[in-house]
């Protein structure tokens, strides 16, 4: 059975979306005439500034496009749905954003992205532009080993910290260090209640029967840690929070930033039900919430489900998380 979507042609959906975003947010975003998949911040890049370039497949909006703007990412390279951008858009984005202080690539830890961004780095080096990479690896369900984990909704906080560092005109070494530090202190786990459907096929991309859920599923439909009957929101939240708190190893009195994120089809009402339990669990652990985000920040098309992210703050990360930014779909300060 096909799903219903408000599209024209599934194969043109990404480019038509980009046209709409650029029209709606022309005061924040532009793209070079020769580079339709490279999206640049109007007010972020400037001489002497490290260029933060993010990117990945479409279908996760507002990640990545929505976080391009002053104080956060300088540019984004956009791929097809759930597919890495090829090297050329990455190079185009970096060249347009480069301020002569080097480029930092940040994206989720997926094989296709690693291959294509690495190729882009080599091409930039041939142009005399230094490019470094920090992979996001916040999905604790995807591997027991940090460097093998996927990057998911925790991208929002990790990009935010790195973008603030770059906006403060810190050198490339420092921006890279901060990006790695932010990633190491960010933890995410999600639950899926349904599959998603690609615009090209309009069919469910995997089978998840009604009445079941998958704990730990990835944002492209990758398997989670277990599948079982759907349970009440507090019980689902407790399972996720047990895992996140065990990983984080925070002490009473520590501060955290929290994101309760919709995977696309889960409404705000349900997200706040989850957040209420998250707040209870954090209070029980003696942890203070410094900043809370609730809503669709890193989606998976029309998948039902949610993820919870905790960033374990310190003085440095708190300052960076609080730094002002003005992006197409995210503003602070």
């Amino acid at each position: 059975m096909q799903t219903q979507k408000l599209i024209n042609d599934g194969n043109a959906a990404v480019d038509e979306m980009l046209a709409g975003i650029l029209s709606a947010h022309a005061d924040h975003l532009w793209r070079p005439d020769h580079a339709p998949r490279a999206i640049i911040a109007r007010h972020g890049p400037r001489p002497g500034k490290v260029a933060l370039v993010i990117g990945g497949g479409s279908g996760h909006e507002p990640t990545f496009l929505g976080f391009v703007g002053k104080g956060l990412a300088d540019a984004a390279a956009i791929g097809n749905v759930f597919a890495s951008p090829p090297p050329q858009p990455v190079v185009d984005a970096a060249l347009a954003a480069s301020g002569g202080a080097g480029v930092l690539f940040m994206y989720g830890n997926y094989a296709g992205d690693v291959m294509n961004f690495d190729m882009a780095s080599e091409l930039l080096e041939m142009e005399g532009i230094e490019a470094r990479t920090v992979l996001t690896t916040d999905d604790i369900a995807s591997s027991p080993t940090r460097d093998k984990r996927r990057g998911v909704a925790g991208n929002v906080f990790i990009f935010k910290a790195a973008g603030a560092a770059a906006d403060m005109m810190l050198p490339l070494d420092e921006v890279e260090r901060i990006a790695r530090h932010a990633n190491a202190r960010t933890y995410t786990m999600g639950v899926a209640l349904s599959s998603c459907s690609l615009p090209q096929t309009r069919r469910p991309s995997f089978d998840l029967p009604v009445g079941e859920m998958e704990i730990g599923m990835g944002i492209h439909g990758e398997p989670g840690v277990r599948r079982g009957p759907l349970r009440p929101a507090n019980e689902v939240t407790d399972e996720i929070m047990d895992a996140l708190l065990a990983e984080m190893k925070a002490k009473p009195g520590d501060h955290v930033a929290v994101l309760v994120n919709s995977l696309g089809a889960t409404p705000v009402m349900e997200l706040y039900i989850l957040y209420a339990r998250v707040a209870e669990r954090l209070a029980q652990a003696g942890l203070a919430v410094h900043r809370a985000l609730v809503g669709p920040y890193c989606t998976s098309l029309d998948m039902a489900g949610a993820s919870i992210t905790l960033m374990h703050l310190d003085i440095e990360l708190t300052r960076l998380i609080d730094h002002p930014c003005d992006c197409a779909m995210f503003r602070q300060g």
Side-chain angles (χ1 to χ4, degrees), residues 201-212:
T201 65
R202 289 184 293 161
R203 296 183 183 279
S205 56
F206 57 87
D207 178 49
L208 185 58
V210 173
E212 292 194 1

Side-chain angles (χ1 to χ4, degrees), residues 79 139 145-146 148 155 164 189 196 234 238 245 265-266 272 283 297:
D139 185 0
T145 306
R146 168 63 84 162
K148 291 181 169 53
N155 283 341
M189 191 168 174
C196 57
N234 283 359
D238 283 342
L245 292 171
T266 295
Y272 278 107
Y297 285 84

Side-chain angles (χ1 to χ4, degrees), residues 277-289:
R277 185 61 171 177
V278 169
E280 287 180 8
R281 290 295 309 271
L282 291 171
Q284 291 167 9
L287 302 178
V289 177

Side-chain angles (χ1 to χ4, degrees), residues 33-245:
D33 291 338
H34 66 284
R37 294 293 184 89
I39 308 301
I40 319 300
R42 286 201 180 275
H43 307 296
R46 52 195 183 271
K49 178 185 179 297
V50 172
L52 176 61
V53 178
I54 61 176
S58 301
H60 306 302
E61 292 75 29
T63 298
F64 299 86
L65 293 160
F67 306 132
V68 175
K70 189 177 188 310
L72 221 155
D74 294 293
I78 305 302
N80 289 328
V81 175
F82 295 174
S84 168
Q88 192 58 53
V90 180
V91 171
D92 293 334
L95 289 174
S98 175
V103 175
L104 182 65
F105 290 141
M106 294 187 72
Y107 52 90
N109 184 24
Y110 300 95
D113 292 296
V114 171
M115 179 181 69
N116 288 324
F117 275 83
D118 280 353
M119 291 175 63
S121 294
E122 294 174 5
L123 293 170
L124 288 176
E125 296 287 351
M126 294 170 61
E127 298 287 334
I129 297 175
E130 183 176 5
R132 301 185 191 175
T133 295
V134 174
L135 301 178
T136 58
T137 57
D138 56 299
D139 185 0
I140 69 170
S142 55
S143 173
T145 306
R146 168 63 84 162
D147 63 2
K148 291 181 169 53
R149 289 176 175 171
R150 304 179 291 236
V152 287
N155 283 341
V156 177
F157 290 140
I158 302 165
F159 294 165
K160 178 70 182 68
D167 192 52
M168 294 173 181
M169 304 299 285
L170 298 181
L172 182 57
D173 285 346
E174 270 296 277
V175 178
E176 180 185 8
R177 179 193 66 79
I178 286 167
R180 295 189 186 282
H181 180 57
N183 181 65
R185 292 173 72 93
T186 304
Y187 311 86
T188 302
M189 191 168 174
V191 56
L193 310 183
S194 76
S195 67
C196 57
S197 59
L198 303 181
Q200 294 91 335
T201 65
R202 289 184 293 161
R203 296 183 183 279
S205 56
F206 57 87
D207 178 49
L208 185 58
V210 173
E212 292 194 1
M213 64 178 184
E214 181 130 7
I215 290 279
M217 179 172 282
I219 56 174
H220 307 103
E222 302 95 334
V225 293
R226 71 169 186 83
R227 181 177 289 193
L230 176 61
R231 292 178 291 145
N234 283 359
E235 293 182 23
V236 174
T237 304
D238 283 342
E239 180 168 351
I240 294 174
M241 289 297 292
D242 287 344
L244 294 177
L245 292 171

